[in-house]
């Protein structure tokens, strides 16, 4: 093959003046050429017509075969050569822009040729060594199938099917107040329906599956959300006549949501105030026994003060004092949920800032103790008592640790004792018969013959001589 010059490449580019941009069924017939975006950047030519009328929507997981070539005809990639279809989520920016825009126009089974200008491919940089800078690329794409349901929780228990795309890119965050319209069904029957319903994301005011799904929606978006198992109702809801863990469906529209300032948009004082607010909210939740939500609040509080690059020296010092209680409280939540390693990780961060923090030593000691890392635990408790000799909590945990070690040692002794006794019993069973008889022989009776006495004396003398030789 000959390599074309830039002039050849320019001449070989398709003539866009005769391309159709009409949105009608003609564009799905074999041979149809469509200017997908109306700017000449994506030209689509159908080789094999697809079936049905549906096309994949944004967020769908699509499966395709493709062959990619330069305008020269040089092939740079092919899923067909590997016999391995390519799978990706549409409209998530995980592939080049021309693919996101082009594949969503295809029907199932359709095979089309897409000619992509550089701005819809790899741009000025290209993708060396196979794709030069500013390359127009040609892809033959076959749409094999797609799954229009997004697996929200990645375990198949909450799935979202897009019904209508929303506006922009923003989605609600934790603590956003959202407004939704919804119709809820169970076994095909409507059990609840509301318009303009408001709730705070993360406040557990609705079932978890609905909360998770809405958290990924854009303003104006409509979706069908299927929820089951632990993400559905935690208990039987007699008012709605829905049972615990029932499979339910919500047709939801996200009407609006409040948007909090991002950390980077805040002044230093606003960051400090937001940190304190989130931490105090976490404290209230922790006291109420809502440990998981409390942990989320503490993490949120930490985000406002953990990045110090925009702070002056005085603000950096204050930020560190605010970081410490957040990290300690996160560690307390991790201990409650028995996530010992995570507790140690957070207390380590505190001790990097304050080596003598008794709470951090105490909580790290607790975590080490639960992991049976007794030397580390004892060292933390000992150091804490050196700093605060009268701390009752540390004393209690130290005593508990000592008892745990003592109990273990006693069990260990008993275990070894039983083992040695079994070994001794086995040795006796395996002893030779002669030795056993010798051990059981009765003491010599009085009035033995002189011959027997002489034999015993001679044997004894011989043994003594043998001992002397060994000693020498």
């Amino acid at each position: 093959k000959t390599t074309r010059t830039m002039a050849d490449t320019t001449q070989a580019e398709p003539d866009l003046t005769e391309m159709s941009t009409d949105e009608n069924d003609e564009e799905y017939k074999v041979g149809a050429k469509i200017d997908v975006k109306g700017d000449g950047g994506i030209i689509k030519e159908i080789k094999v017509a697809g079936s049905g009328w549906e096309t994949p929507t944004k967020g769908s997981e699509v499966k395709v075969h493709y062959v990619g070539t330069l305008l020269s005809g040089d092939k740079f990639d092919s899923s067909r050569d590997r016999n391995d279809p390519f799978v990706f989520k549409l409209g998530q920016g995980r592939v080049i822009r021309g693919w996101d825009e082009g594949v969503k126009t295809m029907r199932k089974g359709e095979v089309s040729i897409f000619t992509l200008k550089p701005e819809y491919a790899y741009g000025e940089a290209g993708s060396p060594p196979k794709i030069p800078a500013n390359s127009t690329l040609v892809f033959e794409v076959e749409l094999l199938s797609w799954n229009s349901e997004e697996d929200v929780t990645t375990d198949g228990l909450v799935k979202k099917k897009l019904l209508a795309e929303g506006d922009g890119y923003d989605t609600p965050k934790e603590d956003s107040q959202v407004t939704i319209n919804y119709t809820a069904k169970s076994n095909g029957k409507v059990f609840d329906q509301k318009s303009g319903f408001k709730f705070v994301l993360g406040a557990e005011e609705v079932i978890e599956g609905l909360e998770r799904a809405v958290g990924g929606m854009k303003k104006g978006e409509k979706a069908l959300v299927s929820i089951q198992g632990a993400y559905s109702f935690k208990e039987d809801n007699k008012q709605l006549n829905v049972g615990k863990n029932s499979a339910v469906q919500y047709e939801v529209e996200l009407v609006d949501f409040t948007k909090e300032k991002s950390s980077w948009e805040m002044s230093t004082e606003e960051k400090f105030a937001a940190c304190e607010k989130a931490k105090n909210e976490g404290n209230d939740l922790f006291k109420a026994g809502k440990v998981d939500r409390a942990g989320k609040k503490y993490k949120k509080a930490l985000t406002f003060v953990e990045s110090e690059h925009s702070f002056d020296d005085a603000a950096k010092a204050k930020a560190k004092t605010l970081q410490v209680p957040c990290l300690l409280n996160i560690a307390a939540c991790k201990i409650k949920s028995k996530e010992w390693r995570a507790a140690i990780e957070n207390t380590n961060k505190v001790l990097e800032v304050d080596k003598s923090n008794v709470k951090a030593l105490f909580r790290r000691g607790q975590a080490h103790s639960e992991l049976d890392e007794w030397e580390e635990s004892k060292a933390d408790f000992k150091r804490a008592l050196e700093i605060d000799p009268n701390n009752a909590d540390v004393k209690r945990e130290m005593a508990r640790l000592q008892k745990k070690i003592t109990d273990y040692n006693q069990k260990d002794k008993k275990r070894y004792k039983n083992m040695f006794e079994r070994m001794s019993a086995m040795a006796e069973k395996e002893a030779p018969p002669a030795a056993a008889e010798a051990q059981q022989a009765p003491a010599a009776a009085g009035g033995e013959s002189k011959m027997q006495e002489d034999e015993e004396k001679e044997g004894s003398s011989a043994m003594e001589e043998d001992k002397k030789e060994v000693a020498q």
Side-chain angles (χ1 to χ4, degrees), residues 193-255:
Q193 192 170 24
K194 284 187 173 67
S195 295
F197 178 70
K198 299 179 188 292
F199 68 93
V200 176
L201 206 63
E204 299 179 0
E205 296 173 1
V206 296
I207 60 174
E208 185 178 353
L210 180 60
E211 196 169 59
R212 293 278 197 103
V214 171
M217 294 175 69
K218 300 178 180 66
K219 184 177 179 179
E221 182 178 324
K222 294 180 181 179
L224 185 65
V225 182
S226 301
I227 305 165
Q228 55 184 312
Y231 299 101
S232 184
F233 290 86
K234 305 291 185 186
E235 303 292 341
D236 291 343
N237 190 315
K238 293 180 180 179
Q239 183 181 354
L240 297 175
N241 196 27
V242 182
K244 178 181 178 182
N245 294 338
S246 292
V248 294
Q249 279 191 327
Y250 283 78
E251 187 172 321
V252 189
E253 177 187 5
L254 178 56
V255 178

Side-chain angles (χ1 to χ4, degrees), residues 104-162:
K104 73 180 182 181
T105 69
M106 300 178 72
R107 294 176 175 179
K108 186 175 181 180
E110 180 182 318
V111 181
S112 288
I113 304 293
F114 290 95
T115 303
L116 310 180
K117 287 286 188 71
E119 58 266 34
Y120 287 97
Y122 290 94
E124 294 180 0
S127 183
K130 293 185 177 181
I131 301 174
N134 291 309
S135 292
T136 294
L137 304 180
V138 179
F139 287 94
E140 180 190 270
V141 181
E142 178 183 3
L143 179 57
L144 301 172
S145 63
W146 73 86
N147 180 358
S148 59
E149 287 187 326
E150 178 187 350
D151 189 349
V152 176
T153 51
T154 70
D155 57 9
L157 296 178
V158 180
K159 291 186 176 181
K160 184 181 79 170
K161 182 177 182 179
L162 188 68

